[in-house]
Structures are given as structure tokens and as C-alpha cells.
Amino acid sequence: MKTRVIKITDPKSQSFDIKEAAQLIVDGEVVAFPTETVYGLGANALDAGAVQKIFEVKGRPGDNPLIVHISDISQWHDLTDEIPEDALLLAGKFWPGPLTIILKKSDRVPMEVTAGLNTVGVRMPAHPVARELINQAGVPIAAPSANRSGRPSPTTALHVLDDMDGRIPVILDGGKADVGVESTVLDMTGEIPVILRPGGITPEMIEEALGHVRIDPHVMSPLDGNKKVRSPGMKYIHYAPKAPVILVRGDLDKLISYINEETQRQINAGKRVGILATDQTIKSYGQGERLTMGDRHKPRELAANLFGRLRKFDELDVDIILAEAVEEKGEGLAVMNRMARAAGFHIVDL
Ligand code: AMP
Ligand code: MG
């Protein structure tokens, strides 16, 4: 299959190009499209066969559910049986935007979408190309991130092409993703809403809106053994560049010394070392392949750059990556959650 990349600079005047991708969705095909979080790999959420193709193309484990993307609140009512007041309030405040809300699913949602669960995660993306695509297709679109399973999520059309060339007919190119990490996943099926995956809508923002929210303990710690998970995605290796990642956490001076010493040790052993640093610290390292995620006091900037930098280390062909931890506040929690997973929870605490 030949994969075509279609650049969309103005969704309104290029509605003809988007129509073509929407038609593919209607015909049961899988296409990649930009959202404000990361690029998505979309199919008609109401078509079990089309959804099945997403799992095949991506190499995604069959028990990891997909998020359904909508462009209109009426679609949400169709996908769920009952929407509690609090959920409507959050949707009113944060949609369109990077918040996925999990509720009991309706019979309309095929089991393929939810991987057998009786709940469904829904969000309304803000990216104009995503909204236009959903509008034109006239159906909700189920979509995971458009990377091959286990790889860092794609934040540009080129990242998608790297992973999906020859596997899908069309990639809509809507520029670099704004947020850069996947949506916040919020389970609203219980008494108190629980964040299963942190993202652009922060715990602080949800707390302010509702007065209460919990963060699932597995956001920053690995699962032990066979414990039941609330979000199947927590089980899997994620976001991993080709080289192993070590996340180094602690006082900034100690952290810099540790990374410098470890870099020297690895170089002595004949290894190519990647250092994932920040604007404030990058000059403290004298050797290795050094990349900055941005200003360590601007977690939004760090989130926007993280996955692109992880993919860059693949190009640089490093053998090991030493990554600086950042503060787990605001979007920083999402950044740390992705880094901890990319490192397989190999964290050095100083
Ligand atoms: P992705 O689409 O690749 O960003 O992954 C979607 C994430 O949302 C995964 O971590 C899933 O496990 C999680 N998710 C989606 N639907 C549900 C659901 N119904 N219950 C719990 N987690 C979900
Ligand atoms: Mg993903």
C-alpha cells in the first residue's frame, strides 16, 4: 500500500482533501490525523471490522481499549447510557481539549473498541483538522496514538510516516502537535473521579472544577504482578526509544553530577550516550549527545518536545539515554509519567 501525506494548512478551504480521508473512514479504512495531543490512527468507532484494523496496523495488544473522538456532544449521548452532572461540567469546561472521560458504554459501542470493557473513553479534540474529519465522516472516530505499539507517540506527520509507511492509505498533516502528550484519562464511573493517565488537563485543573479528584497510584509506579488494573494501557511498555532510558531524579546539582559521571563511565565502556536535559542544565554536560526538552519551569514546553526528542535519540543511534526528571506539578506529572514508562520505571533516586 502506498501511503500519501496530505498537508492541511487551512481545513476550511481544503475540505475537499479532508473529505477524501473522511470517505476512507466511512469505507472502513484506517487513516492518521492530527490532534492537539498527538497524531491519531482513526477508524469508524461504530464499525467493529474497521476498529479491528487499527489493532493490526498498530500491533496493539487486543486488551488495550481505544478512545473515541467526537465533534459534537450528541455523539457522546449516543455512546454512553448516562452522563453524570460532573462529567457534563468537565466537558463544558475542557472540551474541545485534551481530556478523555470514561463512563459506562451504550450498546452502540462495539466490544472491539473497549477491548471487552463495559466502559468507553470519549473526548472531543480541539484540532480543527480532527474536528473537520469527524464532522465530514459523520461518525465518531476510535483512535489510539498513530505510532507502532510501544514506540514514542507521534507529534508530527513525519513521525507517523516513520512508523506507518505502507500500512495505511493516508496521513493528514496538520503540523506539530500542540500539547505533545496524550490526553488526560479520567475515570468517572465511581464516586470520586480518578486520573488513570495524566495529560494536558492537569489534576489541579480538575480539582478546581470539581473540588475533588484522585490520581491512580500507578501513574508514577509500576504494576506489581497480577494486580487488577483499571486502565489496561498501564500494563504495557510505552513510549520507548530504541535505547534503554534511565530516569534520574533528585536535587539538581546531584543529578547533574550523577549524569556526568555515568556518561563518562558509559563512554569508557565504548557506549554512545544520549542526555535528555533542560535549557537550564544542558551546558552542565561536556560530552554525549545532548538534547534539551525546553525550560524546566515550563512543563507545557517540556511536554510538547518530549516525544520528538526521544525519537531524535533513535536517529542519533545512542546506546543508552540518561534523562533528567522534572517537577511532577501541572503538566509536569504527564511528562514524568511518560518518562517513567519510557524508562520501564528504571528510576535512579538521588
Ligand atoms: P492511546 O489511545 O494509545 O492513547 O491509549 C488510550 C489509553 O486510554 C490507554 O491507556 C487505555 O488503557 C485507556 N483507556 C481507553 N478506554 C478506557 C476504558 N474504557 N477504561 C480504562 N482505560 C481506558
Ligand atoms: Mg498510545
Side-chain angles (χ1 to χ4, degrees), residues 10-22:
D10 178 7
K12 281 285 170 253
S13 76
Q14 288 180 276
S15 73
F16 188 79
D17 290 323
I18 297 179
K19 183 89 209 158
E20 191 187 327

Side-chain angles (χ1 to χ4, degrees), residues 9 27 76 214 247 258 268 283 300 311 324 343 350:
T9 44
D27 293 342
W76 195 22
R214 279 215 310 263
L247 182 56
Y258 180 92
N268 291 346
K283 291 227 167 70
R300 279 188 166 196
R311 280 180 181 258
E324 286 180 2
L350 299 170

Side-chain angles (χ1 to χ4, degrees), residues 2-285:
K2 177 108 184 69
T3 302
R4 278 196 309 133
V5 179
I6 305 174
K7 180 130 192 92
I8 310 286
T9 44
D10 178 7
K12 281 285 170 253
S13 76
Q14 288 180 276
S15 73
F16 188 79
D17 290 323
I18 297 179
K19 183 89 209 158
E20 191 187 327
Q23 189 58 48
L24 284 166
I25 298 266
V26 171
D27 293 342
E29 295 301 325
V30 173
V31 302
F33 63 99
T35 83
E36 74 279 21
T37 59
V38 301
Y39 275 70
L41 197 60
N44 178 357
L46 305 178
D47 176 346
V51 169
Q52 199 51 49
K53 280 190 195 164
I54 295 178
F55 286 86
E56 285 159 24
V57 164
K58 193 175 152 89
R60 186 176 177 97
D63 64 349
N64 196 2
L66 306 178
I67 291 167
V68 180
H69 296 72
I70 59 171
S71 59
D72 192 291
I73 291 284
S74 67
Q75 295 171 310
W76 195 22
H77 288 276
D78 201 34
L79 297 166
T80 53
D81 279 337
E82 202 190 314
I83 304 176
E85 215 44 59
D86 274 3
L88 285 168
L89 189 146
L90 290 185
K93 232 178 154 63
F94 300 120
W95 282 0
L99 176 68
T100 296
I101 298 177
I102 295 176
L103 291 172
K104 271 266 184 59
K105 80 175 196 70
S106 74
D107 293 339
R108 294 267 286 154
V109 184
M111 280 297 181
E112 282 74 6
V113 171
T114 64
L117 298 174
N118 62 2
T119 55
V120 63
V122 177
R123 93 171 181 102
M124 188 187 288
H127 197 294
V129 175
R131 311 225 23 209
E132 191 62 24
L133 179 68
I134 303 165
N135 270 334
Q136 295 219 23
V139 291
I141 294 183
S145 49
N147 50 287
R148 291 274 294 157
S149 202
R151 303 259 306 132
S153 299
T155 51
T156 67
L158 205 57
H159 295 161
V160 181
L161 192 65
D162 279 342
D163 281 18
M164 294 295 161
D165 197 9
R167 296 178 167 271
I168 53 174
V170 162
I171 300 168
L172 294 179
D173 179 355
K176 188 184 173 206
D178 222 27
V179 181
V181 291
E182 304 82 351
S183 61
T184 303
V185 174
L186 187 69
D187 182 348
M188 299 199 75
T189 60
E191 197 66 26
I192 293 182
V194 182
I195 294 177
L196 302 180
R197 177 177 74 183
I201 302 299
T202 66
E204 292 87 343
M205 289 158 83
I206 297 169
E207 169 105 57
E208 195 189 302
L210 296 183
H212 55 210
V213 69
R214 279 215 310 263
I215 301 174
D216 191 285
H218 295 114
V219 159
M220 278 314 294
S221 67
L223 290 166
D224 40 4
N226 295 323
K227 244 172 121 191
K228 189 156 166 44
V229 277
R230 298 180 73 152
S231 188
M234 287 172 168
K235 282 195 308 206
Y236 297 105
I237 299 275
H238 262 118
Y239 320 120
K242 290 179 181 130
V245 179
I246 300 174
L247 182 56
V248 188
R249 185 163 60 183
D251 175 81
L252 208 52
D253 291 333
K254 282 194 201 150
L255 186 154
I256 291 167
S257 308
Y258 180 92
I259 291 180
N260 270 321
E261 283 160 27
E262 186 59 22
T263 301
Q264 187 60 59
R265 221 173 57 81
Q266 295 286 348
I267 288 175
N268 291 346
K271 300 277 203 272
R272 274 173 76 84
V273 181
I275 300 175
L276 187 57
T278 49
D279 291 351
Q280 283 86 346
T281 57
I282 189 145
K283 291 227 167 70
S284 311
Y285 304 110

